[in-house]
Amino acid sequence: MISTATTTYGAGRNGGGGLSEDEIFEVLSNRRRRFVIHALKHAEEPIDVSELSTHVTAWERDVDPEEVRYEDRRNVYSTLQRTHLPKLEEKNVVTVHEEENLVEPTAELEELDIYVEVLRSREIPWSLYYVGLAGVAVALLLAVATGTPGFAALEPIDVGVFTATAFGISAAAHHVIGRRARLGNTEKPPELRKRE
């Protein structure tokens, strides 16, 4: 179960003409729109709206796209056509070719690097993890500096090596996990990855 979903966007987005932070959060506030964006970023060419609705329905129902029936995707297709695709087109994130019934990402979407942090109820966000790690490093340094029993044998350099190593390993893990948490980088959207 998802307890928190946090989204951020690539650096330099407000340099001119791009979406504002509020607009990005508005676009990403709906799960179906996130699924549409994920599908478009993952695809190599424009997607037919029927195919797009099949993918979104499959992700919502946690089934393979081949198992999606027409009755299941009919509602998704309709809401994509009436609500979500017009909203994405209004924000210049997609282009809808109505005659061909195709949707393609714009340059705006291609440049948008969307990270979705999905947490289960017992997980903590990375930001809180780093605060905790910094707290441990400060407490360890204070214990060494004050000669607390059990820590008196350590030198400040030992604390520095531990801190650098802990932050380095954590940052590497965060980078690997973060790549899988970007829309369009995996077969399924990041918020469904936890189910596997």
Side-chain angles (χ1 to χ4, degrees), residues 10-121:
R13 295 298 313 136
N14 260 345
L19 293 172
S20 70
E21 185 174 338
D22 288 342
E23 289 173 316
I24 292 169
F25 283 116
E26 180 185 349
V27 165
L28 298 175
S29 67
N30 182 277
R31 186 170 81 154
R32 279 193 180 160
R33 287 196 294 266
R34 289 193 302 273
F35 285 175
V36 166
I37 290 169
H38 179 80
L40 289 169
K41 287 183 79 63
H42 190 68
E44 296 177 5
E45 56 188 31
I47 301 178
D48 184 84
V49 178
S50 295
E51 182 183 344
L52 190 58
S53 65
T54 299
H55 282 294
V56 171
T57 304
W59 292 329
E60 286 182 352
R61 294 178 170 267
D62 196 23
V63 297
D64 289 328
E66 298 81 34
E67 297 175 36
V68 174
R69 299 179 320 215
Y70 172 76
E71 305 82 51
D72 296 333
R73 74 173 175 84
R74 184 175 51 199
N75 176 270
V76 172
Y77 181 92
S78 178
T79 59
L80 288 182
Q81 287 277 50
R82 284 191 337 263
T83 307
H84 301 302
L85 293 177
K87 171 69 101 180
L88 292 170
E89 193 168 36
E90 172 191 322
K91 299 297 182 187
N92 195 32
V93 174
V94 302
T95 300
V96 179
H97 303 284
E98 293 189 22
E99 289 198 15
E100 299 92 355
N101 209 30
L102 293 175
V103 181
E104 70 176 317
T106 63
E108 185 73 33
L109 179 61
E110 295 292 344
E111 293 174 20
L112 202 57
D113 191 20
I114 305 164
Y115 169 84
V116 181
E117 185 175 4
V118 183
L119 306 174
R120 291 182 165 192
S121 58

